[in-house]
Amino acid sequence: MSLRDRLTEDLKLAMKARDQLRMDVIRMIKAAILNKEVELKKDLDDAEMSKIMTTLIKQRRESVEQFEKAQRTELAAKERQEITIIEAYLPQALSPQQLAAIVDSVVAESGARSLKDMGAVMKAVMTRLAGQPADGKQISDLVRAKLQ
């Protein structure tokens, strides 16, 4: 079952169960995907949809941080629930050990030796992780630690 079909089916189930939060989140995901399709003038595949959902998760995490600074715990909790729902549609994230192994292999293959090579290493790592949910900041920290 494609990701698009899964979203549609889950939206129907959420409507039958009267689960308002899940309905809102799925509709938001579908709207973001539709907006990107209109922008690019083509249908998106599952990997491109996953990238959009990764962006949505990143936005939610930033919102959580801002709500916690403003001491709005109820809004931060709602954003966390949205993150959990969105993450259910993404492939399983790589463990920190798996990410470190990928960074090590890219550094070894590229022959990078200093922080000047960080951009090239980051680009190679991100292309290798295409379609996988990965935190760019975490990868950046791993690459920086490896190249120092």
Side-chain angles (χ1 to χ4, degrees):
M1 177 181 281
S2 75
L3 188 54
R4 184 181 313 276
D5 296 338
R6 197 168 141 213
L7 285 167
T8 303
E9 287 301 313
D10 287 353
L11 179 60
K12 288 177 190 175
L13 292 173
M15 291 169 105
K16 287 178 183 175
R18 300 190 188 277
D19 185 348
Q20 190 64 46
L21 179 65
R22 186 170 297 278
M23 282 190 316
D24 292 344
V25 172
I26 294 172
R27 285 179 176 151
M28 176 206 41
I29 293 169
K30 290 180 73 145
I33 290 169
L34 183 63
N35 287 341
K36 195 65 166 181
E37 286 177 339
V38 168
E39 178 185 322
L40 298 175
K41 297 178 181 160
K42 69 172 189 142
D43 286 342
L44 300 178
D45 62 4
D46 285 356
E48 292 168 319
M49 287 186 223
S50 294
K51 192 178 284 189
I52 291 170
M53 286 189 270
T54 303
T55 303
L56 293 173
I57 289 173
K58 183 177 179 186
Q59 291 169 347
R60 299 292 166 294
R61 286 191 176 129
E62 290 170 358
S63 296
V64 166
E65 189 177 306
Q66 293 300 319
F67 287 140
E68 286 176 346
K69 282 183 185 175
Q71 297 171 352
R72 301 289 308 265
T73 55
E74 69 285 348
L75 293 174
K78 182 179 182 279
E79 293 289 325
R80 281 194 197 92
Q81 290 174 328
E82 289 181 8
I83 289 170
T84 304
I85 293 170
I86 297 169
E87 284 176 338
Y89 295 101
L90 291 174
Q92 191 67 11
L94 296 174
S95 70
Q97 295 82 8
Q98 291 170 315
L99 280 176
I102 291 171
V103 168
D104 290 343
S105 68
V106 168
V107 168
E109 290 169 12
S110 67
R113 299 197 190 304
S114 68
L115 286 176
K116 291 179 184 177
D117 303 319
M118 185 166 170
V121 172
M122 282 294 296
K123 184 176 180 182
V125 170
M126 294 310 277
T127 52
R128 198 172 281 186
L129 294 175
Q132 293 276 340
D135 182 15
K137 183 175 179 352
Q138 182 182 16
I139 295 169
S140 174
D141 292 343
L142 285 169
V143 171
R144 180 170 281 116
K146 185 72 176 167
L147 293 178
Q148 282 183 344

